[in-house]
Amino acid sequence: MALAATRRTNVRLPPEVNRILYVRNLPYKITAEEIYDIFGKYGPIRQVRVGVNPETKGTAFVVYEDIFDAKNACDHLSGFNVCNRYLVVLYYQSTKLYQKVDAEKKQAQLDAAKRKYGVEGMAK
C-alpha cells in the first residue's frame, strides 16, 4: 500500500486533469444513484450533479475525492455504452466557461458603445 502511495506522488499529470468530470450524452431518465453505481467503481465520489433543465438534461458533474480516481474513471468511461448511448467524459474546465461569459459580456459592451456613439459596422 505504501508503494502505491509513493508511486502516485511521483506521477506528473497533465494540467487539465482535475477531480471534477463533466459527463455528456447521458440518457434523460438516468438517476444520480445510477451514476454513482457506474462511476463509483473507480473510487470514492464526493458529489454527483445531474442536469434537470432542458439545456442541461443529459449532462452531469461527478466530483471525486482523489484526482487519480477521476483520471482513471475518465480514461475508462469515455465511450462507455449506457442504454445505447456512448458517454462523453471530459475534465471540467472552468476557464472555458468564464471565457465564454467574458466574450459575451465584451460583445454586449461593444454593442452598447456602438449604439451610444452611433457607429455601425465597417462597410467595404
Side-chain angles (χ1 to χ4, degrees):
M1 185 73 180
L3 180 62
T6 305
R7 273 190 282 158
R8 280 189 170 188
T9 57
N10 294 335
V11 173
R12 189 147 197 190
L13 296 174
E16 71 272 4
V17 175
N18 61 32
R19 296 180 314 125
I20 306 170
L21 298 180
Y22 175 62
V23 186
R24 294 188 333 205
N25 205 29
L26 285 166
Y28 286 173
K29 304 276 185 190
I30 198 162
T31 64
E33 290 79 24
E34 292 170 331
I35 293 174
Y36 269 107
D37 290 342
I38 294 169
F39 284 83
K41 295 176 182 172
Y42 296 96
I45 295 175
R46 178 173 288 186
Q47 185 180 42
V48 171
R49 306 284 301 232
V50 181
V52 293
N53 295 336
E55 302 89 33
T56 60
K57 219 168 185 61
T59 64
F61 290 98
V62 179
V63 182
Y64 278 92
E65 295 285 338
D66 185 31
I67 192 169
F68 292 99
D69 296 334
K71 182 180 183 323
N72 193 18
C74 186
D75 292 344
H76 287 94
L77 291 176
S78 191
F80 186 73
N81 190 346
V82 177
C83 298
N84 293 325
R85 297 179 70 97
Y86 294 99
L87 298 183
V88 178
V89 182
L90 306 167
Y91 297 107
Y92 173 68
Q93 298 175 350
S94 62
T95 54
K96 282 192 174 183
L97 174 69
Y98 292 129
Q99 286 174 352
K100 183 177 178 182
V101 170
D102 288 343
E104 291 171 355
K105 188 185 290 185
K106 287 185 189 235
Q107 185 62 42
Q109 290 173 347
L110 181 62
D111 293 340
K114 283 182 181 180
R115 282 192 305 274
K116 180 178 178 183
Y117 295 109
V119 178
E120 292 299 319
M122 300 279 292
K124 290 186 177 182

